[in-house]
């Protein structure tokens, strides 16, 4: 890990640990080990956003989640996230999300929560394969809908982000009625519209969910199905790419026929959950009983 990366990660860690407290550029600079000017420059260059704007957007997004999920007074939530007044909080909230905090609590529509890019390092690929344990389980999914945003040609996460940006996840995370966490999906051929991508991001919701969606998002109806879910061991976050490859290679070698199933991606999407090192990488394939 180079010095710049280490400094930016240190500032992100400091922000995460002190989000509900006053944070100054001097404190961030101290955490990074540089002057305030140089620390701010490193942060902005690496993440494409200034430290103070990063902090404000993150506070407003976490405040929005508190408004959505908790019964605490809006003014107290504003104070919890370092806003000095109801008026100032309402103005900042409306500027970021296009509605007042009161309107958001009443309607809880999908909004673009700020999900900051977590700066990670990438290790050089090792020529030695690590033999990880892969846990496999069968999961039944009922009839449901998915809220998705299509790309253009993307077949995987990085290409998708280049096509549609990296803010989709924040919108998906804002949906209170979601049945589970957001996921990356590889759609079966019959669900791909002409001129759109196989890989999309989405979240499952109940069939009765009908709230308005942000521009570009759409509903996709999903029939009941069975998934075979593969989960690897916990790993260091900096190794996320190699862990994804390792699990996907394990899936290719796996024979579901040994337990009475076969892979069948003709009617349901394959999916991956957000790679998080503390739980291991998770990917699922639809299966049919033999």
């Amino acid at each position: 890990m180079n010095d710049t990366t280490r400094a930016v990660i240190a500032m992100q860690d400091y922000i995460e640990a002190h989000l509900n407290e006053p944070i100054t550029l001097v404190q961030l600079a101290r955490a990074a080990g540089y002057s305030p000017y140089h620390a701010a420059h490193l942060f902005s260059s690496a993440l494409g956003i200034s430290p103070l704007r990063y902090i404000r957007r993150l506070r407003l997004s976490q405040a929005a989640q508190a408004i959505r999920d908790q019964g605490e007074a809006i003014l107290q939530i504003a104070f919890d996230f370092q806003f000095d007044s109801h008026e100032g909080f309402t103005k900042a909230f409306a500027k970021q999300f296009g509605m007042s905090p009161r309107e958001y609590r009443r309607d809880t529509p999908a909004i673009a929560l700020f999900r900051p890019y977590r700066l990670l390092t990438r290790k050089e690929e090792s020529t030695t394969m690590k033999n990880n344990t892969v846990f496999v389980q069968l999961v039944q999914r009922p009839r449901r809908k998915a809220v998705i945003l299509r790309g253009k040609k993307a077949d995987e996460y990085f290409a998708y982000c280049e096509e549609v940006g990296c803010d989709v996840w924040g919108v998906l995370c804002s949906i209170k009625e979601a049945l589970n966490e957001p996921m990356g999906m590889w759609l079966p051929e019959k669900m791909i519209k002409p001129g759109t991508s196989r890989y999309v991001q989405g979240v499952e919701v109940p069939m009765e969910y009908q709230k308005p969606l942000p521009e570009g998002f759409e509903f996709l109806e999903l029939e009941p199905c069975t998934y075979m879910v593969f989960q690897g061991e916990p790993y260091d976050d900096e190794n996320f790419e190699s862990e994804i490859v390792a699990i996907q290679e394990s899936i290719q070698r796996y024979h579901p026929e040994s337990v009475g199933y076969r892979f069948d991606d003709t009617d349901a999407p394959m999916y991956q959950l957000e790679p998080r090192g503390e739980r291991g990488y998770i990917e699922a394939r639809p299966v049919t009983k033999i």
Side-chain angles (χ1 to χ4, degrees), residues 213-228:
L213 300 178
E215 183 178 358
F217 286 80
E218 64 183 88
F219 290 115
L220 184 67
E221 291 196 10
L222 301 174
E223 295 299 323
C225 67
T226 302
Y227 277 105
M228 189 165 283

Side-chain angles (χ1 to χ4, degrees), residues 251-263:
I251 294 173
Q252 294 299 322
R253 293 192 298 267
Y254 187 78
H255 296 287
E257 294 81 4
S258 63
V259 291
Y261 288 86
R262 61 179 175 84
F263 290 134

Side-chain angles (χ1 to χ4, degrees), residues 104-123:
Y104 180 62
R105 171 165 278 175
R106 183 190 66 206
D107 300 330
T108 60
I111 59 175
L113 296 176
F114 179 52
R115 298 272 298 178
Y117 170 68
R118 179 69 182 176
L119 195 63
L120 298 172
T121 58
R122 298 182 180 180
K123 289 188 173 181

Side-chain angles (χ1 to χ4, degrees), residues 10-21:
M11 287 186 278
Q12 288 185 291
D13 288 343
Y14 186 91
I15 291 169
E16 184 176 336
H18 299 276
L19 194 63
N20 296 99
E21 306 168 17

Side-chain angles (χ1 to χ4, degrees), residues 136-155:
V136 184
Q137 63 175 327
L138 288 170
V139 175
Q140 304 293 329
R141 303 296 297 143
R143 189 165 183 259
R144 69 252 185 241
K145 294 192 294 191
V147 176
I148 67 166
L149 181 66
R150 299 179 189 271
K152 299 176 182 177
K153 299 179 181 179
D155 197 48

